[in-house]
Amino acid sequence: MTSGGPHHDREAAGADRSTALSDALARIKLSGAIFLHSEYTEAWAYESLASQDLAAVLAPDAAQIVIFHVVVSGSCWIEAGSHMVWAHEGDVIVLPYNDQHRMGGHETAEIVPVMQLIDPPPWNALPHIVHGLGGARSELVCGFLACDDRLFDRGLGVFPPVFVVTPPEGPVRSWVKASSDLVLQQTSQVAADRIAAPTDIPQLLLREVLKLHLANAPATDTGWVAALRDPVVAPALAAMHRDPGRKWTLADLARAATTSSSVLDERFRAALGLAPIRYLTGWRMHVAEDLLRTTTLPVAAIAPRVGYESEEAFSRAFKRDHGTAPSIWRAVP
């Protein structure tokens, strides 16, 4: 009897990576909207608001926000910190940590603060920027999504400060274009006291973009992307994500990954900077947050779903992680 060989191993690791990725993305809770429609003509460039100022305008109560830009036509560069990328028609630009950024076209131009280009908030209609010197045109639709998911914890190193996703030719790319067109049609007017989108398109769009990015990102030595690419770590992640309520031990997870406990522990720490059981605790807390936020299940019913034999043991663990008991955490709006 022969083994499946390297090709089989790669396929299995790919399936495990896809499972872990799908599980993580499925639990992300997002809310937000399209907040800006912009038309630029060469030469042009601008600088965004500082992170905290933009968050205060768009979602003052959010733990963090993600910014994205859909390039409807033309092309542009975008720079956040030391990272600069180019994007072209049909691409989606993502700033996962809401870093202050600059954008511009092909020709050299003075960088203008964005608030010089639009009226100050609150906005009674979708802000619309028309800026530049009349040359080649680029059009963008910009959105934000509020999220408190640990996937967007900068310390995990899942994402760079800014990245571009080019949807593959076919249904996904067509859907991105149709979505941005539809949002523009449906968000010509917004309420005076808040920005609102009438559809779930921004959320659906970002989920698809994140999945494409994480599935196709260049290999890295550390971080969540590295973990998803690691043939030892990925199946352990998938096992934890599939069944967070199981009484996992390091030996159990090693068996799921068909490796030894010592190798799994070493590879896990190298990729994520955490021991497997510590990651499991964090994932359980994440699942618990989701259940507390989105269901009316009593704490006693949530506890076994996330691996705790008693409500008391779960409550102690949750309080260590969050600083407050789960019942109090649930009650805070």
Side-chain angles (χ1 to χ4, degrees), residues 253-314:
L253 292 169
R255 279 192 289 274
T258 61
T259 190
S260 68
S261 296
S262 59
V263 169
L264 177 62
D265 185 71
E266 179 184 353
R267 295 277 278 270
F268 222 97
R269 290 174 186 270
L272 290 171
L274 297 171
I277 298 302
R278 187 176 171 193
Y279 177 91
L280 173 62
T281 299
W283 179 252
R284 284 170 167 169
M285 292 299 104
H286 174 54
V287 174
E289 288 175 7
D290 186 28
L291 292 171
L292 287 166
R293 184 190 301 113
T294 62
T295 75
T296 57
L297 287 171
V299 173
I302 292 174
R305 295 192 180 201
V306 292
Y308 292 89
E309 293 183 351
S310 70
E311 179 180 352
E312 292 75 19
F314 166 63

Side-chain angles (χ1 to χ4, degrees), residues 49-65 67 98 121-123 144 146 193-195:
L49 286 171
S51 299
Q52 65 274 18
D53 294 337
L54 186 57
V57 169
L58 297 177
D61 298 325
Q64 52 202 350
I65 65 172
I67 301 297
N98 181 30
W123 295 303
F144 79 95
D193 61 343
R194 61 190 286 268
I195 301 170

Side-chain angles (χ1 to χ4, degrees), residues 105-318:
H106 291 266
E107 298 178 20
T108 302
E110 177 187 359
I111 296 175
V112 178
V114 71
M115 291 311 296
Q116 291 185 14
L117 306 177
I118 54 177
D119 294 330
W123 295 303
N124 294 317
L126 185 72
H128 184 198
I129 290 177
V130 178
H131 174 60
L133 300 182
R137 179 175 173 275
S138 296
E139 183 179 12
L140 288 91
V141 172
C142 309
F144 79 95
L145 288 134
C147 183
D148 60 1
D149 197 278
R150 294 185 182 190
L151 188 65
F152 296 99
D153 179 346
R154 191 189 296 267
L156 279 180
V158 177
F159 307 106
V162 59
F163 60 89
V164 173
V165 173
T166 301
E169 291 293 342
V172 174
R173 192 173 183 87
S174 299
W175 180 80
V176 168
K177 172 136 189 352
S179 298
S180 60
D181 290 346
L182 180 61
V183 166
L184 281 176
Q185 293 170 13
Q186 294 185 334
T187 54
S188 57
Q189 294 294 319
V190 295
D193 61 343
R194 61 190 286 268
I195 301 170
T199 72
D200 292 331
I201 287 173
Q203 295 91 317
L204 296 171
L205 177 63
L206 188 64
R207 284 182 205 278
E208 188 63 34
V209 165
L210 290 178
K211 188 171 183 179
L212 287 169
H213 170 75
L214 290 172
N216 298 289
T220 57
D221 294 331
T222 59
W224 213 68
V225 174
L228 290 173
R229 291 184 176 278
D230 190 300
V232 171
V233 176
L237 281 175
M240 287 186 245
H241 290 180
R242 274 195 304 267
D243 191 3
R246 179 172 169 177
K247 295 179 178 63
W248 290 107
T249 65
L250 182 60
D252 292 332
L253 292 169
R255 279 192 289 274
T258 61
T259 190
S260 68
S261 296
S262 59
V263 169
L264 177 62
D265 185 71
E266 179 184 353
R267 295 277 278 270
F268 222 97
R269 290 174 186 270
L272 290 171
L274 297 171
I277 298 302
R278 187 176 171 193
Y279 177 91
L280 173 62
T281 299
W283 179 252
R284 284 170 167 169
M285 292 299 104
H286 174 54
V287 174
E289 288 175 7
D290 186 28
L291 292 171
L292 287 166
R293 184 190 301 113
T294 62
T295 75
T296 57
L297 287 171
V299 173
I302 292 174
R305 295 192 180 201
V306 292
Y308 292 89
E309 293 183 351
S310 70
E311 179 180 352
E312 292 75 19
F314 166 63
S315 294
R316 286 196 299 271
F318 193 90

